[in-house]
Each structure stands twice: as C-alpha cells, then as structure tokens.
Amino acid sequence: MKVETLRWFNNRLEMVDQRILPAAFEYLSYYTAASVAEGIRSMVVRGAPAIGVAAAYGVALEALRLQDKLAVEFKDGMEAGFTVLAASRPTAVNLFWALQRMRRVWESVAEQAPQQIAQRLLAEAHEILAEDIRINKAMGAHGAVLLKDGARVLTHCNAGALATAGWGTALGVFRSAVEAGKKISVIADETRPFLQGARLTAWEMVQENIPVTLITDNMAGYMMAQGEVDAVVVGTDRVAANGDVANKIGTYMVAVLAKRHNIAFYVACPLSTIDLNIATGKDIPIEERSIEEVKGFRDYHWAAEGVKIRNPSFDVTPAELVTGLITERGVVLSPDAQSIRKLMMGRVV
Amino acid sequence: MKVETLRWFNNRLEMVDQRILPAAFEYLSYYTAASVAEGIRSMVVRGAPAIGVAAAYGVALEALRLQDKLAVEFKDGMEAGFTVLAASRPTAVNLFWALQRMRRVWESVAEQAPQQIAQRLLAEAHEILAEDIRINKAMGAHGAVLLKDGARVLTHCNAGALATAGWGTALGVFRSAVEAGKKISVIADETRPFLQGARLTAWEMVQENIPVTLITDNMAGYMMAQGEVDAVVVGTDRVAANGDVANKIGTYMVAVLAKRHNIAFYVACPLSTIDLNIATGKDIPIEERSIEEVKGFRDYHWAAEGVKIRNPSFDVTPAELVTGLITERGVVLSPDAQSIRKLMMGRVV
C-alpha cells in the first residue's frame, strides 16, 4: 500500500489523521489556512517535511478561499493566514521554509488578480509536494549505500512516508536499501508520549513487509549492549548551522548510547531542514506540549493524580555525536559549520 | 498515609495490588505458596525486596496450610512450594536469598512437628519484613548524606515503599533526606512498559508531599542537558560480585547519560541484593516478559498489528558507571570486586 500522507482532492487538501493510526486509516479535509494550522498543531499531520507541505497547501487554500475578494481584503486575509500557520508549531524549520517560499511566489505575482495568484500558489504547493518525494528518493539512494546487507537499524519516532509527502527520510533510506536488494531489519523505539514509533513506523514497515521489531524507548541501550543494533538512522526537525540536530524527544539519548557502543548515528535531513540562521542547537526553540500527553495516551490516563509533568517535544543532539547527515546532495560525514556551509552552497562534499 | 505493601492479617498474607494503582488501592489475600508465586509473576507485588518478603510469607503460608499433614507429606508439599516460588521471577536475587533463608530455618527445626515448623517459619517471615524496614531506614540515613539541600534527583522505576516492606530503597533515601530537613525534589521516569514511575513512584511521592515531576523515559537526557538533574538514585534487583547492577530496563540508559553529564549515579542496594555467586553482570539472568505489555498498557493496545516485539524487563549497568552503592552498612564508592567483598565480610568501607 502506497501511503499518501497529504493529497489534493476535489479542490481541497486531504490529510491522513495520524492521531488515530493504526486503529483506523482516514482522511480529513481542509479548506482554510486556520484549519490546516489546527491540523498541524493537533498532530493530524506531523513530521517536519509533511508539516512544510501542509503549510504550503494552507497558503494555497487561503488564496482560493479569498480569490473573489477585493485586492486589499485578499492581501489582509493572506497575511492573517500566514500568521496562523507560522504559529502552529515552533520547532520544525520546514514550516517556516515553506511559508517563506510561498510568500516569495506570492510577491513575484503580487500585481496579478487574486484568482491568478491563487492558481500560482496552488501550483507551487503541488511542486513542493512533488519535490519532497524526489528529494526523499535522492536521500534514500545516498543513505542506502551506508547500510550493509543484513543491517539491523534502530530508528526513533517516525521519519517515514507519514512524516513527508511519501517515501520518508529515515524510513526512506530503509525503503531505498530494500529496493536496492539489501536485507534490512528495523528496530522501532515506541516514542512516548505520542507513540509515533509503535503506531506509525511499525505500521509503515509492516505495510511494506520490512521486518520491524518494536521496543520501548528505554530498551535501546539494552539492544545496543547485546550487539543487536548495527546503525541508527533518524529524521530531524531542524539542523543548526554547526550541525546540531533537533529531533523528537529521546533522539539525544539514542545518540549518546550509539556513541558509547561505536554504532553509526545518521540523520536523514533534506536541505530544507537546515537553518543557517541558527548558529547552534541551543538557539533552536523547543516546543513544550500539553502535559495531558504524558498523563497517559489519548483519554486513557494512568499517572498518579497531583504529580507535576514536563513535556518537551524535542531535544538537541550535538553535532559531535552525528556520524553523518544524509541529504539529497549526498552524505556529510562528521558535520560541522564549514561542511554544512559548503553543502548549502551546492558544492559536492 | 503509611504504605503497607505487604501485611500479615487474619492468618493470611495481604498484598497491595500494584497492577491497579494509582486508580485503586486494594489488598489481595494469599493463603498458599502457589498463589503468592502467581502474585509475584503477575506483578501484584514487584520490587526486589518486596518479592523477597512475599516469598518468605509464601513459604510460611504453605507450612501453615500443610501443618496437619503427616511429616512426609508436609516435607514433599513444602519442597513443591519452594519450587513454585523459585520459578516466579528470575532476575531479583532477593527472591532466592529469602527462599534460602527460609530453607535454613526449616532445616534447623526439621525434627519438630509440622505445626511447630510452621510457627517458626512464620516468625522468620515476620522478621524478614521487620528487618527490611530497618535496613531501608539505615540505607536511607547513609544515602541522605549524599544529597545536597535542594537536590533535584532523578529516579527510574519504583524503588519505594511499594517495592519493599515499607520506606523504600531509592525512595527511602529521599524520605530520609526530607526527614533530615533537606528540600529534595524528585524527577520520575514513567518507566515503560509497566509504568512503575508514573503510577507508583509519582503516587508515593504525592502521598508524602515530596515534590515530584513525571517525565517519559526518553526525556531524561534532555533534563540532564538542561542542567535540571543533580543526582540519580535507583534501586536494583541484583548486584554481581564485581559491582555490575541489574535493574529495571532503562536504568543503563540513565547511567550512560549521567556519566556524560558528570551527574552522580547511586544505587540503593540492601546486602540481600548482592549476589557473590555471580561474577559479572553478563551472568545475571534477564527476564523477558510477555510482549502484551509493550503492545500498549493493560487492555488498551496501540501498536501496529503484525510488528515483532521485544520485552526484556531488566538491563545491566556496568560498575564503572556507578558512583556509589548505598547499603545498610554504608556507601561503597566506585564499587568493584574488592570493595564489595570487604563490604560483605562486614568491614567498614
């Protein structure tokens, strides 16, 4: 089954409701920037690249919705749409990257009629979606080379088709390796509190018959100590100019353990996730989400009444723990400020 | 509220059903060795010291049940009782320690009538329970000295009153520190899959008004990187002769992170948990429990269908990562084979 995380259908955006997977596979429909923003905030859609694509469609939907207004009303409405989308989630830079790209397109045709602007923005959203899949496949090809035949690869959270427009970043590397004829097996951290590993990564791998073993997050060290992990590949929500990596909470822990056990730790990272405006990881804003998520799962709560709760949704893995960044332009080993600058300037690294 | 994890009441053993805490606080009654063994296996009672006390009462209950039989039948029945109790859980050495102690008492009065043997075994079980609380308080006093006023201490799983006959090992250190007038705040890992941290440690600390913050297991690294953890104190299920520590799955991960951040990592460890017959941690049997536990929690399952699952219940932290063992005889810093041998021989270390 090919997973279409987001799709344009009957002049609306449809997104798989990832909150109810794997129990149910359903699409929700979106017509406005505000509803897309709410879909991002509530994690109907999640994963940095998918959030970027969703935000691009949010801008296009808003333009379509406002295209019969006067130019001044159209402009004000569009600005409000950008604002609500930008406020949906703070950590993934792809959100801001996609909004900036849509704004530039808008500015390039600002003199045209709203209907024409709307069509141009919709075309750009389609292009961002198609590009995302192309980029993932390019990353997959570069990353697949790093995995030996028979590799047992641990991943955290879901950097799969469901986190992108298709294929996936980290899981895209696994798909590409399998496509290239390598036997790969995946170890999926369940990834509390939202359980993206247990629900989404496990589901995606089962769909494709890629062998996958589920563990709780606190078993990763045991598996490594037993010699059952050959490599780690994760996604990322933002990479700083010096190579520090923000990703789902718990990624840092996996990286520290991998270092201790001399296991390669790779980050699958489209260029749109690299933020040269952020010098180091400590400047990346870390979203703290509702404490309800940690009390239990969905409406089922098990935590003792009266306990305080923290819920940082991301952490930062320092560049020194990263064996390599897998990008659509190639793999940057031991990333640092210099090699990342070169990468972004388009040089072969 | 004083927690009586196990109590002797109306000629039967009662144990708090820890599977349903904190939603409900209920005692279950036990009359036979087999039912106590099932209570241990199904985790009505858990925690190495509490398992030891429960097993001792299991032996006493079996003797009471069989005390009107002929001597030969009594003996055969008792042997069967020992066997079923020994098979209940493999990792915690306190189980075997308590059974061995009860066997020695039995052997010392083997010539007496079954009724007299039963009374002697019951008295020994009472003594093991009382001793456990005395030992915990001695450990607490030694451990409290290690925590500075205002310390924010992370713990994993539940090494509390609920894991012992009362007071607790790791949480006993916190109780003793608070009793000594120190302000202590606790960070509790939720401890998947059985959630002893979210359900039991958080509940115990709330009962005693000790400030406690709940996090998912994968947030420990983030909290340390943020400078929000001053020390770690955990319990243990078995310590090898060289100081390697078996404890709840995820403990190793916390120890590796603590080392990276130069945070002291203490293990609260009654002498009954030290197993000189095991040379190093790699010889400690690690229990793999039912995969049902990892699919979700209780009857609520969220894992994708068709995924393979692992469920090792413990891991081993090498002695080199242990800042100190807190015992009832004092604190052994940087434990190794030599210092542990001295400790067990009763010398001041």
Side-chain angles (χ1 to χ4, degrees):
Chain A
M1 169 177 155
K2 182 168 165 290
V3 177
E4 284 188 304
T5 308
L6 314 92
R7 66 182 182 195
W8 187 253
F9 193 74
N10 283 344
N11 282 319
R12 63 184 185 232
L13 173 66
E14 291 193 337
M15 303 199 291
V16 173
D17 187 351
Q18 300 193 33
R19 299 168 306 179
I20 59 173
L21 271 173
F25 184 86
E26 282 175 19
Y27 282 95
L28 297 178
S29 297
Y30 294 86
Y31 299 87
T32 69
S35 67
V36 172
E38 177 56 22
I40 294 170
R41 193 206 58 72
S42 66
M43 294 170 67
V44 169
V45 67
R46 26 67 50 204
I51 289 172
V53 177
Y57 277 109
V59 170
L61 283 166
E62 199 64 10
L64 289 167
R65 192 173 76 86
L66 300 171
Q67 65 182 347
D68 297 326
K69 304 273 185 192
L70 294 176
V72 61
E73 287 173 49
F74 177 82
K75 183 167 187 304
D76 289 353
M78 288 298 288
E79 288 295 353
F82 273 98
T83 301
V84 71
L85 285 163
S88 59
R89 290 196 77 188
T91 301
V93 75
N94 310 58
L95 172 67
F96 307 103
W97 170 88
L99 291 176
Q100 193 172 29
R101 179 161 161 177
M102 295 298 280
R103 178 176 288 282
R104 283 197 190 133
V105 167
W106 178 24
E107 286 168 357
S108 73
V109 294
E111 302 308 308
Q112 299 182 11
Q115 288 92 339
Q116 289 170 294
I117 296 173
Q119 286 309 315
R120 180 66 191 83
L121 289 173
L122 179 60
E124 190 70 14
H126 291 333
E127 171 55 21
I128 289 176
L129 183 145
E131 212 177 85
D132 186 67
I133 294 173
R134 288 198 303 272
I135 286 169
N136 283 346
K137 293 202 170 175
M139 288 169 52
H142 291 302
V145 177
L146 302 170
L147 301 181
K148 65 171 198 222
D149 191 32
R152 300 156 299 175
V153 195
L154 185 141
T155 190
H156 188 73
C157 196
N158 172 268
L162 290 165
T164 62
W167 210 243
T169 58
L171 301 196
V173 171
F174 306 159
R175 285 187 168 92
S176 295
V178 169
E179 210 176 57
K182 290 183 179 175
K183 283 204 198 320
I184 298 291
S185 61
V186 175
I187 299 161
D189 283 353
E190 68 174 11
T191 319
R192 280 280 294 148
F194 203 64
L195 297 160
Q196 291 94 332
R199 298 190 299 110
L200 309 180
T201 292
W203 181 81
E204 278 195 36
M205 295 294 93
V206 168
Q207 300 303 308
E208 307 220 6
N209 291 314
I210 298 177
V212 55
T213 300
L214 175 65
I215 60 173
T216 59
D217 300 306
N218 55 24
M219 292 174 191
Y222 173 86
M223 298 296 281
M224 291 184 190
Q226 295 289 109
E228 299 190 41
V229 179
D230 298 307
V232 176
V233 184
V234 297
T236 169
D237 293 78
R238 193 181 310 212
V239 173
N242 73 338
D244 291 351
V245 170
N247 191 42
K248 181 54 54 195
I249 190 75
T251 302
Y252 170 58
M253 172 193 90
V254 174
V256 169
L257 289 164
K259 184 77 165 187
R260 179 175 168 90
H261 292 281
N262 290 314
I263 295 168
F265 180 89
Y266 296 110
V267 178
C269 160
L271 298 183
S272 58
T273 308
I274 296 174
D275 186 355
L276 294 181
N277 296 318
I278 295 268
T280 74
K282 69 178 191 306
D283 299 320
I284 299 175
I286 299 296
E287 176 182 10
E288 290 242 6
R289 293 183 59 82
S290 163
I291 64 168
E292 295 299 311
E293 293 182 350
V294 175
K295 283 185 182 171
F297 181 62
R298 296 193 184 121
D299 293 335
Y300 187 17
H301 288 181
W302 51 67
E305 287 292 320
V307 67
K308 281 182 287 190
I309 293 176
R310 290 287 297 277
N311 189 16
S313 198
F314 301 90
D315 60 25
V316 173
T317 298
E320 48 141 336
L321 299 179
V322 178
T323 307
L325 293 180
I326 302 167
T327 81
E328 63 267 39
R329 268 189 207 147
V331 177
V332 182
L333 294 174
S334 305
D336 60 16
Q338 196 183 358
S339 57
I340 288 176
R341 209 165 43 240
K342 275 190 195 169
L343 170 76
M344 296 304 274
M345 289 165 69
R347 293 193 207 147
V348 177
V349 286
Chain B
M1 165 179 159
K2 181 168 164 293
V3 178
E4 284 189 303
T5 308
L6 314 92
R7 66 183 182 194
W8 188 253
F9 192 74
N10 283 343
N11 283 319
R12 63 181 185 236
L13 173 66
E14 291 194 338
M15 303 199 291
V16 174
D17 187 352
Q18 300 192 34
R19 299 168 306 179
I20 59 173
L21 272 172
F25 184 87
E26 281 174 20
Y27 282 94
L28 297 178
S29 297
Y30 294 86
Y31 299 88
T32 69
S35 67
V36 171
E38 177 56 22
I40 293 169
R41 194 206 57 74
S42 66
M43 295 170 68
V44 170
V45 67
R46 24 68 52 202
I51 288 172
V53 176
Y57 276 110
V59 171
L61 283 166
E62 199 63 11
L64 289 168
R65 190 171 78 85
L66 301 171
Q67 64 182 348
D68 298 326
K69 304 275 185 191
L70 294 176
V72 62
E73 288 174 48
F74 177 82
K75 185 168 185 306
D76 289 352
M78 288 299 289
E79 288 295 354
F82 273 97
T83 301
V84 71
L85 285 163
S88 59
R89 289 195 77 187
T91 302
V93 75
N94 310 59
L95 171 67
F96 308 103
W97 170 89
L99 291 177
Q100 192 172 30
R101 179 161 161 179
M102 294 299 280
R103 179 176 287 281
R104 283 197 190 132
V105 167
W106 178 25
E107 288 168 355
S108 74
V109 293
E111 302 309 308
Q112 298 182 12
Q115 289 90 342
Q116 287 170 297
I117 296 172
Q119 285 309 312
R120 180 65 191 83
L121 289 173
L122 180 60
E124 191 68 14
H126 290 334
E127 172 54 21
I128 289 175
L129 183 145
E131 213 176 85
D132 186 67
I133 295 174
R134 289 198 303 272
I135 286 169
N136 283 346
K137 292 201 170 176
M139 288 169 53
H142 290 302
V145 177
L146 302 170
L147 301 180
K148 65 171 201 226
D149 191 30
R152 299 157 300 174
V153 195
L154 185 141
T155 191
H156 189 73
C157 195
N158 172 268
L162 289 165
T164 62
W167 210 245
T169 58
L171 301 195
V173 170
F174 306 158
R175 286 186 166 91
S176 295
V178 168
E179 210 176 59
K182 289 181 179 175
K183 283 204 199 321
I184 298 290
S185 60
V186 175
I187 298 160
D189 283 352
E190 68 175 11
T191 319
R192 282 281 293 150
F194 203 63
L195 298 161
Q196 291 95 333
R199 297 189 301 111
L200 308 180
T201 292
W203 180 80
E204 279 195 35
M205 296 292 94
V206 168
Q207 300 303 309
E208 307 220 3
N209 291 314
I210 297 176
V212 54
T213 300
L214 174 64
I215 60 173
T216 59
D217 300 306
N218 55 24
M219 293 174 191
Y222 174 85
M223 298 296 280
M224 291 184 189
Q226 295 289 108
E228 299 190 41
V229 179
D230 298 308
V232 176
V233 184
V234 297
T236 169
D237 293 79
R238 194 182 308 211
V239 173
N242 73 337
D244 291 350
V245 171
N247 191 42
K248 181 53 54 195
I249 189 75
T251 302
Y252 169 59
M253 171 192 89
V254 174
V256 169
L257 289 165
K259 184 77 164 189
R260 180 176 166 91
H261 291 281
N262 290 314
I263 295 168
F265 180 88
Y266 296 112
V267 178
C269 158
L271 298 183
S272 57
T273 308
I274 297 174
D275 186 355
L276 294 181
N277 295 319
I278 294 269
T280 73
K282 71 177 187 305
D283 299 320
I284 299 175
I286 299 296
E287 177 182 11
E288 290 242 5
R289 293 182 59 81
S290 163
I291 64 169
E292 295 299 310
E293 293 182 350
V294 174
K295 283 185 182 170
F297 181 62
R298 296 191 185 122
D299 293 335
Y300 187 18
H301 288 181
W302 52 67
E305 287 294 320
V307 67
K308 280 182 287 189
I309 293 176
R310 290 287 297 277
N311 188 16
S313 198
F314 301 90
D315 61 24
V316 172
T317 298
E320 48 141 335
L321 298 178
V322 178
T323 308
L325 293 180
I326 303 168
T327 80
E328 63 266 41
R329 270 189 205 147
V331 177
V332 182
L333 295 174
S334 305
D336 58 16
Q338 194 183 0
S339 58
I340 286 177
R341 208 162 46 238
K342 275 191 191 167
L343 170 76
M344 297 303 275
M345 290 165 69
R347 294 194 206 144
V348 177
V349 284

